[in-house]
Amino acid sequence: MDRIKTLHTVTLDFDKCKGCITCMRRCPTEAIRVRDGKASVDFDKCIACGECVRLCPHNAKKPAYDDFDVINNYKYKIAIPSPSLYGQFNNLSDVNYVLTGLLKIGFDDVMEVGKGAELASETTRILFDRKNDDYPVISTACPAVLELILVKYHNLKDNLLNLLAPVDITAKLARDRAIEKGIPPEDIGVFFISPCPAKVFALKCGIGVQKPYVDGVLANSDVYLKLLPVINKLSESEVKPLSKMSIIGLQWASSGGETAAAYRDKYLAADGIENVINILNSLEDGTLGEVEFIELGACTGGCVGGVMNIENPFVAKARIRELRTKFPGTRNHLADEGKSLEYYLWEREPTVKDVFKLHKDRATAMERLLKINELMEELPQIDCGLCGAPTCRAFCEDKVGGVISMDQKCPRLK
Ligand code: SF4
Ligand code: SF4
């Protein structure tokens, strides 16, 4: 299935938007414009990183995800929570409270994404043992980073690890388990409980898979608010031993967790979109040095920093670290699952996107480039943003691409 080009990953509350241009200045792919005092997003360029949601001082931007009631469209509902969900709870003595709570609020089964993460770690180690070139390998676990590479760093596509994301692995396993129990496939709904809009985007578009394995994506924050009163009332005897996760799976919630489980010496882990961009630029320039594995997360701190969480990323990270004592070192092994290695790998290669090409026809693109350079000469080139575009160059590109009128003037030159 091809990507859904117009999938809206963030929404705007028009009344709250003050046109302050904060979001436009920080969007890593220049996907935002502010015209007539309101922000708008070119969703072909948006990588769903959530920066505009995080930074809007007026709370005008919201991530797009499914309403909790979507689970009622299915007879057999499976929750697959991200390990970052555990970091939202204060004084959580046992994660089985959360998993039992999920059954109480309407789900029929649960499978932690940490299980898929541990299997992804083992698959990564096997893939590393097999290959001896094309270093460094770039993790594909953060869909915002994956999208960023597909839209802006085409030269790095061959460095991407061809491994399914832990959430896809978990969704596949959870669905298979339900089918083995005799549940009709059409009755099964698999719902990811997510920390960020990038995962909503990736799962709905089905990046790396033939068709999406999840039927809905819920927000950590929404599910937390539903779970809290239920968990507070649970007695110890009601709590079921449902967790099948290990430290390896848990630590994927924070930056550095994936690399730690890859067992490589020459690795690099960076988080936060600006740091990610710096690393990718260095990698493209050939100035990064000798590294075998690169883990990159768009959010500060990793998934605990996603904008669909409730808790401060640093607090959530500390809680995840504390929870480590409650889990065994390892628990899930490929040999026990009885699947081939291919089960865990991309079913189809994601394709690069030419959203920054000036035109698909080379001659027209060249003509436009010359015109942009000519227009640039007339501008102050200070990237003030007053025109509603993030840079003077983007202003010229919008003119030449027909997004705005050629007559529009730079506000500083009026
Ligand atoms: S940050 Fe963007 S969405 Fe928020 S008020 Fe400013 S222009 Fe509007
Ligand atoms: S989610 Fe990220 S890429 Fe998309 S518009 Fe917001 S800041 Fe830009």
Side-chain angles (χ1 to χ4, degrees), residues 238-287:
E238 284 178 281
V239 176
K240 298 180 178 167
L242 297 166
S243 179
K244 297 281 181 280
M245 209 166 71
S246 66
I247 291 175
I248 287 187
L250 178 74
Q251 65 192 11
W252 273 66
S254 313
S255 174
E258 183 187 359
T259 37
Y263 302 163
R264 308 301 296 182
D265 292 330
K266 293 177 185 163
Y267 70 83
L268 180 157
D271 56 281
I273 196 71
E274 284 179 11
N275 295 325
V276 166
I277 289 169
N278 284 339
I279 296 292
L280 293 177
N281 286 341
S282 303
L283 192 54
E284 216 170 36
D285 295 349
T287 55

Side-chain angles (χ1 to χ4, degrees), residues 13 58 65 95 97 106 111 117 127 153 182 215 228 248 266 272 289 294 321 326 338 347 362 370 385 389:
D13 183 330
H58 305 287
Y65 53 83
V95 298
Y97 276 86
M111 187 181 280
L127 294 177
Y153 296 89
D215 301 288
L228 197 60
I248 287 187
K266 293 177 185 163
I294 301 180
R321 201 171 45 237
K326 319 264 183 212
E347 297 166 358
R362 218 177 146 80
L370 293 173

Side-chain angles (χ1 to χ4, degrees), residues 325-388:
T325 55
K326 319 264 183 212
F327 291 93
T330 63
R331 198 180 227 168
N332 299 283
H333 307 283
L334 295 180
D336 299 336
E337 300 299 328
K339 313 283 187 196
S340 68
L341 193 72
E342 282 63 38
Y343 185 90
Y344 303 95
L345 305 184
W346 279 346
E347 297 166 358
R348 66 182 181 110
E349 289 228 349
T351 46
V352 296
K353 292 171 70 187
D354 284 329
V355 294
F356 292 101
K357 262 195 181 163
L358 294 172
H359 198 276
K360 56 181 186 312
D361 172 61
R362 218 177 146 80
T364 312
M366 189 51 74
E367 239 171 66
R368 287 187 175 186
L369 181 65
L370 293 173
K371 185 68 191 164
I372 288 166
N373 290 342
E374 191 187 311
L375 290 171
M376 282 287 282
E377 294 294 317
E378 298 161 11
L379 297 179
Q381 302 192 26
I382 52 172
D383 300 340
C384 65
L386 285 180
C387 61

Side-chain angles (χ1 to χ4, degrees), residues 9-10 27-29 31-32 41 45-52:
T9 47
V10 289
C27 173
T29 53
I32 301 177
V41 176
K45 289 183 182 162
C46 172
I47 58 166
C49 65
E51 276 300 281
C52 54

Side-chain angles (χ1 to χ4, degrees), residues 267-324:
Y267 70 83
L268 180 157
D271 56 281
I273 196 71
E274 284 179 11
N275 295 325
V276 166
I277 289 169
N278 284 339
I279 296 292
L280 293 177
N281 286 341
S282 303
L283 192 54
E284 216 170 36
D285 295 349
T287 55
L288 193 64
E290 211 185 319
V291 183
E292 288 181 347
F293 188 53
I294 301 180
E295 175 193 330
L296 299 172
C299 296
T300 300
C303 293
V304 288
V307 294
M308 281 153 55
N309 290 319
I310 260 199
E311 193 47 273
N312 171 296
F314 300 99
V315 173
K317 191 170 181 174
R319 288 182 187 157
I320 295 280
R321 201 171 45 237
E322 235 180 282
L323 279 172
R324 283 166 56 99

